[in-house]
């Protein structure tokens, strides 16, 4: 065969979202390939089970998944904790211990969020800030901090940004169980193989627009592929590469700073792990602390006590610090992260967790990135923006559903 | 007998026979009143609070004119409809050059005509000149299509969600090899905006800035003769010529609602002015919640009014300078607009600080009113007006804050024209102005507020109806148009 | 007040009357309304129905949503929130109305009862906590959701008043009020109705449920009535039910699902010529109705909801709820029809073979009131 291969859909950006997207497209009959960029986040922990649509399409019942109940969000405060993420009536009843009115207000809030999630046009709530929306619903400052930590902070937002209310809508999404990310990855690889999707190992080198609105992708291996359509697996995997993405007007794209993942080990398993099984813990203090961390991030500094989200497993703790600067600024000069900075961050995160859990923890690993801002600074304006799923708490399924949409109509023919 | 005494003598009187009342004395209020009067309505404008001074002596022989000495966007329909040029509106400079000083000390001088930007940019960065001018031309075209939307018309079909949700940084960062070009556009767009350049929906503020038309030029800058009061005085004259009667009062107590329709306003002394149409140019909460009351407003509508706007604003400082009349860095031509454009990072930090209630450098816009009107300063001396943005919104009698703002103004002058800053003899700080949001949210909120009060005959052109910084008169025109439609379809009878 | 068909809870809870009345439920057929357990029938649906129609029956009204609204502006607040003329209601009287949103679509039915000068009881069929909270901003009112804290027993039927007198419950409240014991909504007697069928509702503290129950059982002949018998009565009375006959505007996915007061056949409950209430202007200026909810009688023995109603031109709508009326020996049903469908030649398509039976529009208590209201407009 001479000349570059011609395909229907090129999925840029690997990882689980990319895999899910390329499998989905291939199963729908499209010639599809997956091009990693090198900015993917590794597949660890657990992810949401895919929606039944995708389950049916990929015949996922063959792969023997083990299901876990959906994780609960638990905010730990000094001498206080708030947990949500169960059935809304049950959550409401639990919250009514804080304030009797919440028993009925909480289900109303959940239902409103579910409706807001669906309502795309003429939705004023989509345009306002998360804090404005929370203030409109609740008085309980701790509950507002909890919702901010659980739904807004993961996007690197502190809740005062216009449009950040959109992140809160996820509270209204149907609860789905979770599955092991690595198993899901293997299943997707097999499903992709069976469907004839090409999963490249060589990284993408360049992407350009050629005649007839087609795309030409060059790979580090020297290979070239022509594609009719290109989609991004996620904004985070593609923007550091310098490509622009179009996420259908979502206000949740991270534009500043990066997330850091800190792995911690402990000698004695914290009591909280037994008290709250299957939980994502949040330690933020209050909404002001979240804002301080966000401001520090933009100012190129590390907050002293950053808001932290973490999960506890048998061996240790995996923590996320959402508000880290892309580059640290000292005396007006920007510089890259050093090993020492990572240590400082690790210690700060460990300090926050130790204080709240009351157990000693050791930092074993700190990872920062990917750096989107670097990509934004050298973006390629000569080609159109690439369709990407809107940032979401469930990026795998968001990518798969986008591939589903793109291969509907004539794309799947 | 003064107007006020006259008013007092007639206290507690119920007056009727008017077609429309306008509450407030903003430019939009005068525009709305004059437009309705020109259409044949008997209009009363109720001026609340104290009348703004035309001039203030900030130091012996130095005068400052309150308000915005320059304008970007004047609604042509109002200018024509009221014959404002005949009422005294004129331009001291129709196409002001903008002199940009960057954080690193470099400068860029743009001609007053955006069409000629390429040459100017070439002087700063040869490689980007073509791209910059092409980008600006493209954006002006996009902005033109949105002009009607910004001024209160229906949402256009064309722009996608993607464009509406974009941030200034989404559109700009990485576009030009020379970052300073980005800094320039970011500064232009950030002036008066409440959102950081990296926040969603902020791109709209760039488009709003480029959509404005002044003196027949889209995207231009003009200085109105008479400074900040020039337009206000022309509008007042237009209103008087059109037969608007102007009443002065401390405050309006409430709006009388009969059935679903407004019927007039009442004052603290029990007096009433009755008319079937009321246009309010005061704040939305005052207009609806204070004057009408929640009990007569739909729950969903009142809820929209409860969302607070960010406590961020702009502040204008007037400086008296005893010389020198120029600076090697800016040259001797002071009849220009000077813009201090920080780099992305310091500007973001400035916005964050303002949100927190701290005063930090942001964008500064400087003009020398005395170079356009020599009577404002003694011979051989100057006055300067600096608009600082963003600053935390503060109470006008917060002295420590005023001192901080004064320092910020001095610093801004030093950054733009170091030598001139030595000659500052006095600084006067105006009350801060709340940022007029350009976000999609603000535009949606305006739609909800102006359309959905449910009260017939009640129209709104207050601050929440304004999109983007600077006076434009569009809100007043829209309110007048709605009122006239209502009047003509018999709603007022 | 009619129960909603909305239920979000997987685990229904016991109403205050549950412990006392559950023993009478021979059928053990339970359902859940607003998260509360409610018997569908106790013994025989038709017997329960006939008892209510000719004599008196008692029902557990605990699953309704109850709010106490207290404060100097309670009346004004309720007159804004609902279309009930709450400011004009005298103590111990009730007013019916609708909760309408700003677009003029029906959120729910509502009844306000004035218990004292600044204390009202608001009864709705679906929870409206959030709406209450937003509406209360700027008003001098104190609102609390008292469902579960109070029990409610309804006596329905022509002899309801006699039964209430026999059980002494009607004077209970009068006494309590005379002794100044009406501090909250914990003791109240108010009139209720299912269509033309009137009755009395007694509201009492949850812990007194057994006492009240014993008095009613001991001193009267009233038999318990379940949801199924009430369903027949309310369809006969022409009263639409939130959640089946129309979707609450707060739950509507699209505006096409939401219904105006006129469209659900209750325009007389939200008269645009009454004082200001939420959404009144939208109701007044509403575009022509798109749909109408019509009470039909079908010449058949059973017709499940979802059956389509046809005219000669094609499908005109769908049956939203139906019940076999023992009195008329026909199926009565509500159907959501196109506004323009002629009521003269309707047919219901029943059965898998597509067989059709004639469907005739039927007069009802609410229907007559709506018609009279439309004529006067």
């Amino acid at each position: 065969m001479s000349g570059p291969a011609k395909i229907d859909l090129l999925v840029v950006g690997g990882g689980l979202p990319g895999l899910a997207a390329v499998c989905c497209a291939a199963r729908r009959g499209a010639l599809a390939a997956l091009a990693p960029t090198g900015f993917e986040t590794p597949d660890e922990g657990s992810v949401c089970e895919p929606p039944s649509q995708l389950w049916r399409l990929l015949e996922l019942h063959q792969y023997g998944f083990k299901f876990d109940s959906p994780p609960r969000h638990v905010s730990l405060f000094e001498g206080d904790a708030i947990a949500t993420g169960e059935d809304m009536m049950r959550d409401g009843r639990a919250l009514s211990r804080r304030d009797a009115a919440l028993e009925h207000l909480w289900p109303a809030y959940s239902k409103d969020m579910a409706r807001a999630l669906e309502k795309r046009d003429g939705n004023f709530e989509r345009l306002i800030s998360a804090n404005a929306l929370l203030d409109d619903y609740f008085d309980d400052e701790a509950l507002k901090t909890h919702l901010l930590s659980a739904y807004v902070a993961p996007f690197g937002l502190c809740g005062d940004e216009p449009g950040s209310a959109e992140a809160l809508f996820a509270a209204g999404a149907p609860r789905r169980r979770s599955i092991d990310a690595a198993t899901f990855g293997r299943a997707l690889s097999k499903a992709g193989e069976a469907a004839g999707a090409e999963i490249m190992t060589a990284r993408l080198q360049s992407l350009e627009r050629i005649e007839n609105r087609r795309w030409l992708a060059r790979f580090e291996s020297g290979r070239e592929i022509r594609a009719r359509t290109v989609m991004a697996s996620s904004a985070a995997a593609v923007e550091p590469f310098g490509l622009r993405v179009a996420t259908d007007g979502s206000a949740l794209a991270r534009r500043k700073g990066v997330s850091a993942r800190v792995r911690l080990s402990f000698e004695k398993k914290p009591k909280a792990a037994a008290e709250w099984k299957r939980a994502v813990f949040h330690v933020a203090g209050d909404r002001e602390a979240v804002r301080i961390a966000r401001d520090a991030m933009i100012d190129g500094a590390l907050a002293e006590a950053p808001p932290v989200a973490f999960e506890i497993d048998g061996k240790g703790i995996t923590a996320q610090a959402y508000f880290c600067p892309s580059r640290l600024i000292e005396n007006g000069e920007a510089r890259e992260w050093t090993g020492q900075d990572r240590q400082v961050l690790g210690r700060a995160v460990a300090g926050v967790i130790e204080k709240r859990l009351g157990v000693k923890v050791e930092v074993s690993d700190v990872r920062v990135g990917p750096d989107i801002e670097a990509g934004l600074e050298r973006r390629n304006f000569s080609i159109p923006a690439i369709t990407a799923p809107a940032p979401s708490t469930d990026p795998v399924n968001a990518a798969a559903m986008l591939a589903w949409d793109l291969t509907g109509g004539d794309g799947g023919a | 007998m003064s107007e006020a005494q006259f008013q007092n003598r007639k206290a507690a009187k119920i007056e009727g026979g008017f077609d429309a009342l306008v509450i407030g004395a903003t430019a939009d209020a005068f525009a709305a009143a004059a437009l309705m009067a020109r259409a044949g309505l008997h209009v009363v404008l109720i001026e609340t609070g104290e009348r703004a001074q035309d001039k203030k002596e900030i130091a012996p022989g130095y005068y400052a004119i309150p308000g915005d000495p320059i304008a970007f966007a004047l609604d042509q329909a109002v200018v024509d409809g009221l014959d404002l040029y005949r009422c005294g509106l004129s331009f001291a400079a129709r196409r002001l050059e903008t002199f940009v000083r960057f954080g690193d000390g470099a400068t860029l001088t743009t001609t007053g005509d955006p069409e000629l930007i390429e040459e100017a940019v070439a002087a700063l960065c040869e490689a980007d000149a073509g791209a910059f001018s092409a980008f600006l031309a493209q954006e002006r075209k996009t902005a033109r299509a949105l002009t009607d939307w910004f001024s209160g018309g229906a949402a256009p079909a064309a722009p996608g969600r993607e464009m509406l949700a974009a941030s200034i940084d989404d559109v700009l960062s990485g576009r030009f090899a020379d970052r300073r070009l980005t800094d320039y556009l970011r500064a232009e767009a950030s002036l008066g905006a409440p959102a950081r350049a990296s926040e969603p929906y902020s791109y709209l503020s760039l488009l709003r800035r480029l959509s404005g038309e002044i003196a027949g030029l889209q995207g231009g800058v003009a200085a109105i003769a008479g400074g900040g009061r020039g337009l206000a005085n022309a509008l007042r004259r237009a209103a008087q010529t059109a037969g608007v009667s102007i009443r002065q009062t401390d405050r309006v107590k409430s709006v009388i609602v009969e059935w679903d329709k407004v019927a007039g306003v009442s004052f603290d002394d029990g007096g009433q002015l009755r008319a079937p149409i009321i246009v309010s140019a005061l704040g939305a909460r005052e207009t609806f919640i204070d004057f009408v009351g929640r009990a007569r407003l739909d729950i969903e509508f009142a809820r929209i009014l409860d969302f607070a706007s960010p406590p961020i604003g702009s502040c204008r400082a007037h400086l008296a300078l005893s010389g020198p009349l120029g600076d090697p860095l800016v040259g001797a031509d002071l009849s220009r607009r000077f813009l201090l454009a920080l780099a992305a990072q310091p500007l973001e930090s400035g916005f964050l600080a303002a949100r927190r209630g701290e005063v930090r450098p942001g964008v500064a816009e400087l003009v020398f009113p005395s170079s356009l009107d020599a009577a404002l300063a003694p011979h051989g001396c100057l006055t300067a007006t600096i608009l600082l943005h963003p600053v935390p919104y503060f109470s006008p009698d917060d002295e420590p804050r005023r001192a901080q703002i004064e320092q910020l103004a001095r610093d801004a002058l030093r950054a733009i024209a170091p030598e001139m800053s030595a000659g500052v003899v006095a600084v006067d700080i105006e009350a801060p102005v709340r940022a007029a949001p350009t976000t999609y949210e603000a535009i949606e909120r305006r739609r909800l507020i102006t359309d959905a009060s449910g009260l017939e005959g009640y129209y709104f052109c207050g601050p929440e109806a304004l999109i983007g910084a600077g006076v434009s008169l569009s809100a007043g025109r829209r309110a007048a148009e709605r009122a006239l439609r209502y009047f003509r379809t018999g709603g007022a009878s | 007040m009619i129960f909603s068909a909305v239920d979000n809870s997987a685990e229904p809870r016991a109403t205050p009357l549950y412990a006392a009345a559950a023993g009478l439920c021979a059928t053990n057929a339970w359902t859940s309304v607003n998260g509360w357990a409610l018997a569908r029938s106790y013994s025989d649906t038709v017997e329960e129905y006939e008892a209510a129609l000719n004599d008196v029956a008692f029902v557990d009204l605990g699953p309704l949503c109850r709010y106490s609204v207290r404060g100097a502006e309670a009346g004004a607040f309720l007159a804004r929130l609902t279309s009930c003329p709450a400011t004009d209601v005298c103590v111990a009287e009730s007013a019916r109305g609708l909760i309408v949103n700003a677009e003029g679509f029906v959120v729910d039915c509502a009844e306000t009862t004035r218990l004292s000068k600044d204390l009202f009881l608001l009864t709705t069929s679906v929870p409206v906590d959030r709406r209450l909270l937003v509406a209360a901003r700027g008003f001098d009112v104190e609102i609390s959701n008292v469902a579960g804290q109070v029990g409610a027993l309804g006596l329905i039927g022509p002899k309801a008043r006699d039964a209430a007198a026999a059980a002494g419950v009607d004077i209970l409240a009068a006494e309590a009020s005379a002794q100044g014991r009406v501090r909250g909504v914990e003791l109240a007697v108010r009139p209720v109705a299912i269509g033309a069928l009137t009755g009395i509702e007694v509201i009492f503290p949850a812990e007194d449920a057994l006492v009240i129950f014993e008095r009613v059982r001991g001193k009267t002949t009233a038999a318990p009535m379940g949801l199924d018998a009430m369903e027949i009565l309310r369809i006969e009375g022409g009263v639409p039910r939130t959640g089946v006959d129309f979707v609450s505007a707060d739950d509507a996915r699209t505006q096409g699902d939401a219904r105006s007061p006129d469209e659900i056949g209750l325009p007389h409950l939200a008269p645009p010529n009454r004082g200001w209430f939420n959404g009144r202007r939208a109701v007044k200026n509403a575009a022509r109705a798109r749909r109408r909810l019509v009470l039909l009688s079908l010449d058949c023995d059973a017709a499940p909801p979802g059956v389509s109603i046809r005219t000669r031109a094609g499908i005109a709508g769908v049956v939203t709820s139906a019940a076999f009326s023992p009195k008329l020996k026909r199926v009565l049903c509500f159907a959501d029809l196109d506004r323009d469908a002629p009521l003269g030649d309707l047919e219901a398509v029943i059965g898998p073979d597509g067989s059709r039976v004639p469907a005739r529009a039927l007069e009802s208590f609410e229907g007559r009131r709506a018609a009279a209201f439309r004529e006067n407009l």
Side-chain angles (χ1 to χ4, degrees), chain B residues 434-492:
Chain B
R434 263 186 203 281
T438 323
T439 57
Y440 196 3
E441 174 198 349
I443 300 176
E444 267 303 288
R445 185 197 305 239
R446 174 184 64 184
R447 185 178 66 77
L448 295 170
I449 291 178
T450 49
D451 286 358
S453 83
L455 295 161
E456 289 176 35
Y458 204 28
Y459 301 95
F460 177 69
C461 61
E464 286 84 353
L466 309 179
I467 298 301
V471 63
S472 82
L473 308 180
S474 294
R477 169 169 67 90
R478 295 282 175 182
E481 281 170 1
R482 283 158 188 260
L484 286 171
R485 207 175 307 135
Y486 175 71
F487 186 78
R488 287 186 187 130
T489 51

Side-chain angles (χ1 to χ4, degrees), chain B residues 66-97:
Chain B
D68 200 348
I70 49 181
F72 304 101
L74 267 192
D75 196 313
Q76 199 55 40
V78 182
V79 175
D80 295 344
L82 297 179
D83 234 341
L84 283 184
Y85 292 122
R86 279 209 184 157
C87 298
L89 176 70
S90 64
F91 294 105
R94 298 177 75 89
R95 288 171 192 197
L96 273 188
E97 279 185 2

Side-chain angles (χ1 to χ4, degrees), chain C residues 80-105:
Chain C
R80 179 202 190 201
L81 177 83
T82 71
S83 62
C84 310
T87 38
D88 304 336
V89 173
C90 305
V91 173
E93 275 190 2
S94 256
R96 287 202 303 161
L98 297 175
I99 297 179
V100 183
N101 73 6
E103 276 98 51
F105 296 116

